Amino acid sequence: MPKLRTIVIWIVVFFLFFVLAGFFVVPPLAKHLLIRNLSENLHRDVSINQIKVNPLKLTVAVNGFVVKEKETSEAVLSFEEFFANIQAVSLFKRAIVVSEIRLIKPYVKLIRDEDGSYNFSDLIEKTSEDTSPSEKTSSPIQFSINNITISGGAIDFLDTPEEVFHEITELNLAVPFVSNIKYHVQNFIQPRFSASINGDAFVIEGKTKPFADSLETVFDIDIKDLDLADYIGYVPNRKHFNLLSGSLNLTTKVSYVQYTDKKPSLEATGKMALNDINLADDKKNPLVKVAGVDFEIASVKPLEDLIHLSSMNVRSPDINMRRNKDGTLDIVTITTLLIGTAQQKEATTSTQQIQDKKPISLLIDLWRVSDGKMRFQDFKTQEPVIIEIKNFETEAKNFSLTKGSKADLQFSFLLGKTGKVSGKGMVGLEPLAANMSLDVKGLGINTFQPYFTDKVRVHISSGSVNTSGTLALDRPEGKDITAKYTGKLLINQLHAANK
């Protein structure tokens, strides 16, 4: 009995010490250590109003946290309260298990200076210098953090080079769980995100099946009239084009499934529309205008590099292309627009790396282009050439990047003042192959006079070409492309003179 009594007394003493230390000793000590260490490491003044610890409920609350900007009294990071409820099961799981985390009224102030650096760039540089590869690969910390909520958040972003101020207010976020261990708490919150971004309200709501083996989470995303021109300045390597206008509408359902016996799955379905796209070069010369592009998304799986569109409708595209005297084209590919001629070497390396990877699986069931226009100006010839295409209409069925696949394509357009061109047939991209019937009527010859003036000393004042036949393209693997055209050719009202 005396031994049992001694054990009971020690248990009571330990419990009292644990409770008293948790309530009265740990909070001020933690506050002092946090303020000192954070101020030294962040090189900024840090203040904390209060820390509360409840050892009986295993909860921690930090109130009135503020990080001030360098050499000023302005807050660069702050929150009103941080609350965490740690589970006792952490001891048995040998992992950090938290049943709830709350962050109330967080605030972040971001500033981009003229040189492109940010008001936190020194912290990133310090982290990079302090990070060194360890000789031993340590096991990752096991954790399960559940029911994460952020309420009343705000972000101010001052972009000095662009002379733009972005403001995010009323930011609210709910995340059911973030975990790398198999542990489920009994109750989950439903995922949700809402915020006011530059005055526009955004809401994303989701549903989670917490007791299903897959832990499937579904988000409904609805974005209307998002002005893309406000954000184009943050596209990397944007040196040779400007987005003068453009808006995004998006109504989609995003599903994330975390399986127990295979890789997770992320899938998006729904609709997307790009409207009033106006793309110009760095001198604001027009490059591409599009009234709208409408996407019907059957399935997009980023983790599997799979894109399946039920339909893609391009409305009234207007493209301007120029070939300069040195032979360079203003538009070659989207990559040229984004990267620029000064970075072509890097682009080639990047392209090679992409080719080494598994290709993206792209399938478009129905692809339409309506009322298209293109204007091509060629300044490399002795006399400038201007070629215009109008009323461009095309429809492609089962367009795919899959090797060996072919699309059913038909198109028509007006070329120059009198030319009419149409065609239909099967086209494949991998490998390049085509078998199409073509019909050309009233194509003016004098439009192309500058291309053969130096080869044939003849000046053609009038004349047109009519032809109908079959065009076959083929590029066997490892060989050059071959082209064969068979059909009828008729030249009408040709007037030519020696030059």
Side-chain angles (χ1 to χ4, degrees):
M1 289 297 291
K3 187 175 181 179
L4 179 60
R5 185 182 305 163
T6 302
I7 293 174
V8 172
I9 291 173
W10 275 109
I11 291 175
V12 172
V13 170
F14 176 78
F15 177 75
L16 290 174
F17 174 78
F18 175 76
V19 172
L20 293 174
F23 276 112
F24 301 107
V25 179
V26 173
L29 181 61
K31 176 181 176 180
H32 171 73
L33 293 175
L34 279 174
I35 292 176
R36 186 188 69 183
N37 293 333
L38 288 175
S39 297
E40 290 177 357
N41 286 282
L42 299 178
H43 304 291
R44 290 161 173 81
D45 290 336
V46 176
S47 62
I48 298 174
N49 184 33
Q50 186 182 42
I51 294 181
K52 296 180 181 179
V53 177
N54 189 327
L56 300 179
K57 295 182 178 179
L58 296 181
T59 61
V60 178
V62 180
N63 297 321
F65 179 87
V66 178
V67 178
K68 296 180 181 179
E69 187 59 275
K70 277 186 173 183
E71 301 176 356
T72 69
S73 60
E74 295 183 0
V76 67
L77 173 67
S78 66
F79 57 78
E80 186 176 287
E81 180 183 61
F82 171 82
F83 174 85
N85 189 350
I86 304 170
Q87 296 286 282
V89 74
S90 300
L91 297 174
F92 306 103
K93 287 278 186 180
R94 289 187 295 179
I96 300 173
V97 180
V98 181
S99 63
E100 181 185 6
I101 281 185
R102 292 197 308 264
L103 186 61
I104 299 176
K105 291 187 177 180
Y107 170 75
V108 178
K109 181 180 181 180
L110 303 175
I111 300 176
R112 186 167 78 137
D113 296 321
E114 291 288 351
D115 59 358
S117 63
Y118 292 83
N119 57 336
F120 56 84
S121 294
D122 60 312
L123 300 179
I124 297 176
E125 294 173 0
K126 184 177 184 301
T127 302
S128 301
E129 293 173 358
D130 294 343
T131 304
S132 59
S134 56
E135 295 181 2
K136 284 188 176 181
T137 303
S138 57
S139 301
I141 297 174
Q142 303 293 300
F143 64 89
S144 176
I145 302 175
N146 306 275
N147 298 318
I148 307 164
T149 59
I150 298 175
S151 60
I155 300 174
D156 289 340
F157 178 30
L158 176 60
D159 190 343
T160 307
E162 298 289 335
E163 298 182 349
V164 175
F165 177 73
H166 298 289
E167 183 181 38
I168 300 177
T169 58
E170 301 173 21
L171 190 153
N172 299 284
L173 176 67
V175 179
F177 63 90
V178 177
S179 175
N180 61 0
I181 63 174
K182 189 176 180 180
Y183 176 77
H184 300 170
V185 296
Q186 291 185 350
N187 298 307
F188 275 104
I189 60 173
Q190 293 300 332
R192 190 177 191 275
F193 170 82
S194 64
S196 175
I197 303 177
N198 294 328
D200 297 325
F202 291 88
V203 178
I204 301 174
E205 295 188 354
K207 296 180 180 179
T208 298
K209 301 176 182 177
F211 301 110
D213 292 337
S214 63
L215 283 175
E216 180 180 3
T217 301
V218 179
F219 290 96
D220 292 320
I221 302 175
D222 189 7
I223 298 174
K224 294 182 179 179
D225 298 325
L226 176 64
D227 192 344
L228 299 177
D230 288 342
Y231 307 99
I232 193 65
Y234 311 109
V235 174
N237 298 325
R238 184 191 63 85
K239 296 182 179 180
H240 295 270
F241 74 95
N242 287 288
L243 183 65
L244 303 182
S245 67
S247 64
L248 168 70
N249 289 339
L250 180 64
T251 303
T252 184
K253 188 183 293 291
V254 179
S255 173
Y256 177 77
V257 182
Q258 182 176 316
Y259 298 101
T260 57
D261 56 349
K262 56 182 179 180
K263 293 182 179 180
S265 172
L266 179 65
E267 182 180 23
T269 60
K271 297 180 180 181
M272 184 175 76
L274 299 172
N275 297 312
D276 191 26
I277 302 299
N278 187 355
L279 198 65
D281 63 15
D282 51 0
K283 297 179 181 179
K284 294 189 177 181
N285 295 315
L287 292 177
V288 178
K289 292 182 180 180
V290 184
V293 185
D294 302 316
F295 302 88
E296 291 276 353
I297 304 171
S299 177
V300 173
K301 296 182 178 180
L303 303 181
E304 302 174 28
D305 292 332
L306 186 149
I307 301 174
H308 180 194
L309 303 179
S310 300
S311 66
M312 177 178 172
N313 185 18
V314 183
R315 294 178 280 111
S316 303
D318 189 349
I319 301 173
N320 284 272
M321 296 179 63
R322 289 180 297 273
R323 187 166 75 151
N324 303 311
K325 290 185 178 181
D326 59 0
T328 58
L329 289 174
D330 282 3
I331 298 180
V332 179
T333 61
I334 296 299
T335 304
T336 305
L337 277 174
L338 294 175
I339 297 175
T341 54
Q343 296 174 315
Q344 285 181 353
K345 184 176 180 180
E346 294 180 12
T348 303
T349 303
S350 176
T351 303
Q352 183 61 45
Q353 292 174 349
I354 293 173
Q355 289 175 349
D356 293 337
K357 296 181 180 180
K358 180 182 176 182
I360 293 177
S361 176
L362 172 65
L363 172 62
I364 304 175
D365 296 336
L366 182 61
W367 184 1
R368 285 196 181 101
V369 179
S370 58
D371 192 27
K373 297 179 183 178
M374 189 180 79
R375 178 182 174 88
F376 176 65
Q377 301 176 74
D378 194 344
F379 297 101
K380 185 175 174 57
T381 55
Q382 291 182 354
E383 299 179 12
V385 178
I386 298 177
I387 300 175
E388 292 186 340
I389 292 177
K390 298 180 180 180
N391 297 352
F392 184 83
E393 306 280 338
T394 186
E395 180 178 286
K397 296 180 180 178
N398 299 320
F399 176 85
S400 175
L401 297 181
T402 304
K403 190 171 184 179
S405 64
K406 292 185 178 180
D408 184 0
L409 175 68
Q410 59 181 2
F411 63 87
S412 65
F413 57 86
L414 302 180
L415 179 58
K417 296 180 179 179
T418 58
K420 296 181 180 180
V421 181
S422 62
K424 61 180 180 179
M426 304 301 293
V427 176
L429 294 180
E430 185 60 35
L432 181 62
N435 192 348
M436 304 192 68
S437 62
L438 294 179
D439 187 40
V440 179
K441 295 179 180 178
L443 181 62
I445 301 175
N446 56 352
T447 301
F448 306 94
Q449 172 79 46
Y451 289 115
F452 53 81
T453 297
D454 57 342
K455 298 178 179 62
V456 181
R457 301 185 62 82
V458 173
H459 176 74
I460 298 176
S461 58
S462 65
S464 63
V465 173
N466 290 356
T467 182
S468 61
T470 301
L471 173 65
L473 298 176
D474 189 22
R475 187 177 185 178
E477 190 171 348
K479 297 184 179 180
D480 294 334
I481 187 171
T482 61
K484 181 181 179 182
Y485 179 76
T486 57
K488 297 179 180 179
L489 177 66
L490 177 64
I491 299 178
N492 297 317
Q493 298 179 351
L494 179 64
H495 294 273
N498 291 331
K499 191 171 182 180

